[in-house]
């Protein structure tokens, strides 16, 4: 990262969200108590809402959502870790949550309240046996970014400007206990059977635990950066093993701005297209050649610049999804025009994916076939065209409409068992995030050129 880096305003010490956390609930008891406290406040908000309506006083549902979203985000920001990470993931799914929740939860991508200076110093001292001011020539105790798993500080050593990612204390230990804490509540509310959801929970838990292993992130980041070095208009930080541990990760400080701040500079369409092309090519090469992908494509993990026609800095390889060969073959086969044109082939692939089951009644089988055919036709459209314009408002309107229609389907609303391969959780998340980035950029990309095969 270079000295001319432009950090997002929300990441500076003077920003409103730079209030600091002096402590972090890390024990199971403390985190359970924080959950309970939030639940009581959310419940009280509902009581107030319905009491006003019963008394004939106007009480908008949007106001209720705003109050509850603020309460939940406050709690999740304080707890950090897996619960805040899940909120971040939900924010990427535009149809999953009311706007008040998705807008606020999106802050978890790079704008969570940071830890206090003394706590940061303690983490560094525990990692290296020395304070950060002894490890580095210069160290800014005020975090430049703070997200769900850790926060980033700017430092200098031997003439290099560095980004030092510091993991929140107790995050790794809290993930399993958080899932055990939330699981029975979620199962009861959603009416799901634990045996049926176990593979999906295990997949999420595995990825979350991997994100807390900074030594693994250093290895993956170094490997993928080397493998993708030929992809045009991408930039990756170098990592410094001697200044890193399982809980502290030091890398180059890359120049650039996050998506929201970059778009505020009103970049040209040519720059937008080049940035979009770089992102598409990056993910296409990972999917088709590496069979593993950077599976956390939210705006906080990319830095954008307009020089050289548009450059993308890629950050955070904590969440990487390894794609087994059979899963890759299945995922890509579902997107081909041949599959959409052949109902028998589609049914066979959906059976392999676990969406269709031999015991399904004919009516249920027909419903899933029709639903998946419509979804794959629309969602997979960019893969089947030589170029695609993600700035087309009609396409995004159709995507959102499809999401709304699926959420309203009685058959899906009554369905109490998850279906499909657990591997698709992070593959789908990857492309939901990529589509969202390309849509915000309003980029037109050459989709057929991206595999670099």
């Amino acid at each position: 990262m270079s000295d001319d880096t432009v950090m997002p305003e929300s990441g500076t010490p003077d920003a409103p969200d730079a209030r600091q956390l002096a402590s972090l609930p890390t024990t199971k008891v403390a985190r359970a108590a924080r959950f309970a406290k939030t639940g009581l406040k959310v419940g009280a908000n509902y009581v107030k809402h319905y009491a006003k309506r019963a008394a004939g006083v106007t009480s908008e549902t949007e106001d209720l959502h705003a109050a509850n979203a603020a309460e939940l985000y406050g709690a999740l920001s304080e707890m950090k870790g897996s619960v805040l990470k899940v909120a971040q993931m939900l924010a990427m799914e535009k149809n999953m949550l009311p706007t008040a929740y998705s807008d606020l939860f999106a802050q978890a991508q790079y704008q969570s309240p940071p830890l206090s200076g003394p706590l940061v110093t303690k983490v560094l001292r525990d990692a290296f046996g020395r304070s950060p001011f002894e490890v580095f020539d210069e160290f800014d105790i005020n975090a430049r970014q703070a997200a769900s798993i850790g926060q980033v500080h700017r430092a200098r050593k031997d003439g290099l400007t560095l980004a030092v990612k510091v993991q929140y204390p107790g995050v790794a230990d809290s993930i399993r206990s958080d899932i055990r804490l939330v699981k029975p509540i979620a199962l009861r509310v959603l009416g799901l059977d634990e045996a049926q959801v176990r593979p999906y929970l295990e997949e999420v838990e595995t990825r979350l635990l991997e994100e807390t292993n900074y030594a693994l992130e250093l290895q993956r980041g170094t490997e993928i950066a080397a493998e993708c070095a030929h992809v045009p208009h991408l930039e990756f930080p170098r990592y410094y093993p001697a200044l890193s541990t399982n809980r502290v990760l030091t890398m180059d400080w890359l120049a650039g701005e996050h998506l929201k701040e970059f778009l505020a500079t009103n970049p040209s369409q040519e720059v937008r297209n080049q940035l979009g092309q770089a992102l598409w090519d990056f993910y296409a090469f990972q999917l088709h050649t590496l069979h593993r992908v950077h599976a956390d494509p939210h705006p906080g993990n990319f830095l954008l610049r307009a020089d050289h026609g548009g450059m993308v800095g890629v950050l955070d390889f904590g969440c990487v999804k390894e794609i087994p060969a059979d899963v890759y073959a299945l995922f890509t086969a579902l997107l081909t025009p041949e599959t959409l044109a052949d109902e028998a082939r589609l049914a066979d692939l959906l059976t392999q994916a676990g969406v269709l089951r031999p015991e399904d009644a004919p009516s249920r089988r027909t419903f899933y076939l029709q639903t998946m055919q419509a979804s794959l036709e629309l969602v997979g459209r960019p893969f089947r065209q030589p170029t695609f314009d993600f700035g087309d408002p009609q396409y995004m309107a159709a995507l959102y409409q499809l999401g709304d229609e699926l959420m309203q389907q009685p058959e899906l609303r009554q369905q109490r068992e998850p279906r499909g391969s657990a591997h698709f959780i992070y593959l789908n998340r990857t492309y939901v995030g990529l589509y969202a980035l390309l849509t915000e950029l309003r980029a037109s990309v050459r989709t057929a050129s991206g595999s670099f095969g």
Side-chain angles (χ1 to χ4, degrees):
M1 294 183 173
S2 67
D3 288 336
D4 61 347
T5 301
V6 180
M7 294 302 297
E9 183 179 349
S10 58
T12 64
D14 296 328
D17 279 298
R19 61 190 185 282
Q20 296 193 327
L21 298 177
S23 63
L24 193 66
T26 56
T27 68
K28 182 177 179 180
V29 172
R31 294 176 76 80
R34 191 64 181 90
F35 269 121
K37 178 182 177 183
T38 301
L40 288 173
K41 289 191 174 182
V42 169
N45 287 339
Y46 273 102
V47 170
K48 292 177 185 177
H49 172 73
Y50 289 111
K52 286 182 179 180
R53 293 183 63 176
V57 178
T58 300
S59 182
E60 298 292 338
T61 302
E62 290 79 6
D63 294 337
L64 174 66
H65 287 325
N68 283 340
E71 179 58 41
L72 284 170
Y73 180 69
L76 299 181
S77 296
E78 182 179 329
M79 297 177 71
K80 300 191 179 294
S82 56
V83 291
L84 189 56
K85 193 72 181 180
V86 170
Q88 178 193 97
M89 292 168 65
L90 290 174
M92 295 168 63
E93 298 278 2
K94 300 299 184 184
N95 293 98
M96 285 289 290
L97 297 170
T99 302
Y101 290 88
S102 58
D103 287 350
L104 203 54
F105 287 3
Q107 293 184 27
Q109 294 165 351
Y110 43 72
Q111 200 174 334
S112 173
L115 298 180
S116 66
L119 196 50
V120 172
T121 299
K122 182 181 185 305
V123 173
L124 270 293
R125 193 177 289 279
D126 289 344
F128 297 111
R130 295 176 291 162
S131 79
F133 309 103
E134 296 171 303
V135 175
F136 301 96
D137 298 334
E138 299 175 23
F139 185 86
D140 187 350
I141 199 65
N142 293 301
R144 296 301 184 97
Q145 286 178 246
S148 53
I149 302 295
Q151 62 189 44
V152 177
H153 294 258
R154 184 166 172 156
R156 290 185 65 84
K157 188 174 180 67
D158 299 332
L160 297 171
T161 304
L162 305 171
V164 183
K165 186 159 71 168
V166 179
Q167 188 172 125
Y168 302 129
V171 163
D173 296 333
S174 72
I175 287 174
R176 286 194 176 93
S177 63
D178 281 354
I179 290 176
R180 285 195 295 267
L181 189 67
V182 173
K183 183 169 64 176
I185 301 172
L187 293 175
R188 186 164 58 249
V189 170
L190 299 175
L192 298 174
D193 178 78
E194 181 176 359
Q196 293 173 332
V197 301
R198 187 176 298 124
Y200 305 95
L201 291 175
E202 288 175 351
E203 171 74 359
V204 172
E205 183 176 316
T206 298
R207 299 286 85 74
L208 288 173
L209 286 171
E210 286 180 352
E211 288 195 61
T212 67
N213 185 345
Y214 283 179
L216 179 61
E217 180 178 347
L218 186 152
Q219 175 190 330
R220 285 172 162 175
T222 301
E223 291 173 352
I224 295 176
E227 291 163 335
C228 294
H230 66 290
V231 181
H233 308 295
L234 295 180
E235 185 178 20
F236 301 91
R238 288 173 299 172
Y239 294 88
Y240 297 90
L243 297 172
S244 303
T245 70
N246 284 346
R247 301 291 180 257
V248 177
L249 183 60
T250 301
M251 68 200 85
D252 289 328
W253 187 279
L254 294 184
E257 296 172 294
H258 292 303
L259 181 63
K260 181 179 178 181
E261 290 73 24
F262 180 78
L263 291 178
T265 67
N266 195 29
S268 69
Q269 188 61 51
E270 290 75 18
V271 168
R272 290 171 181 264
N273 290 346
Q274 182 160 295
L275 293 170
Q277 191 69 57
L279 286 165
W280 182 270
D281 292 348
F282 174 51
Y283 277 95
F285 180 74
Q286 291 177 93
L287 175 70
H288 296 302
T289 303
L290 303 184
H291 291 184
R292 60 175 175 173
V293 294
H294 175 293
D296 199 8
H298 66 71
N301 284 340
F302 299 96
L303 292 171
L304 309 179
R305 309 197 319 262
D307 57 287
H308 303 293
M311 295 291 295
V312 178
V314 185
L315 309 174
D316 198 338
F317 285 90
C319 184
V320 171
K321 174 59 185 172
E322 305 279 348
I323 309 169
D326 60 331
V327 174
Y328 168 77
L330 185 59
F331 183 79
T332 52
L334 283 167
L335 298 171
T336 66
E338 293 80 11
T339 295
L340 289 178
D342 186 341
E343 187 174 289
R345 174 175 168 77
L346 176 61
D348 178 61
L349 292 172
L350 291 176
T351 301
Q352 293 179 45
V355 176
L356 294 180
R357 297 173 181 172
E359 66 272 17
D360 285 338
S363 59
R364 172 162 290 185
R365 180 182 179 85
T366 299
F367 167 75
Y368 275 112
L369 266 174
Q370 293 176 346
T371 299
M372 291 302 301
Q373 191 167 33
S375 299
L376 290 169
E377 190 288 318
L378 186 60
V379 174
R381 199 175 293 173
F383 289 87
R384 296 188 295 271
Q385 299 183 9
T387 62
F388 195 82
D389 181 8
F390 283 92
D392 179 2
Q394 292 184 339
Y395 179 68
M396 292 313 300
L399 277 180
Y400 290 138
Q401 182 179 350
L402 174 65
D404 289 338
E405 290 174 353
L406 291 177
M407 294 290 285
Q408 298 303 317
Q409 287 279 2
E411 293 89 344
L412 289 179
R413 293 171 67 89
Q414 295 166 9
Q415 177 68 20
R416 293 303 182 189
E417 53 180 340
R419 294 189 174 220
S421 170
H423 289 288
F424 283 8
I425 294 175
Y426 280 87
L427 272 174
N428 291 342
R429 179 197 181 193
T430 296
Y431 277 91
V432 166
L434 177 60
Y435 277 27
L437 289 169
L438 296 174
T439 299
E440 288 292 316
L441 282 168
R442 301 198 305 274
S444 179
V445 300
R446 300 180 304 280
T447 52
S449 67
S451 68
F452 286 90

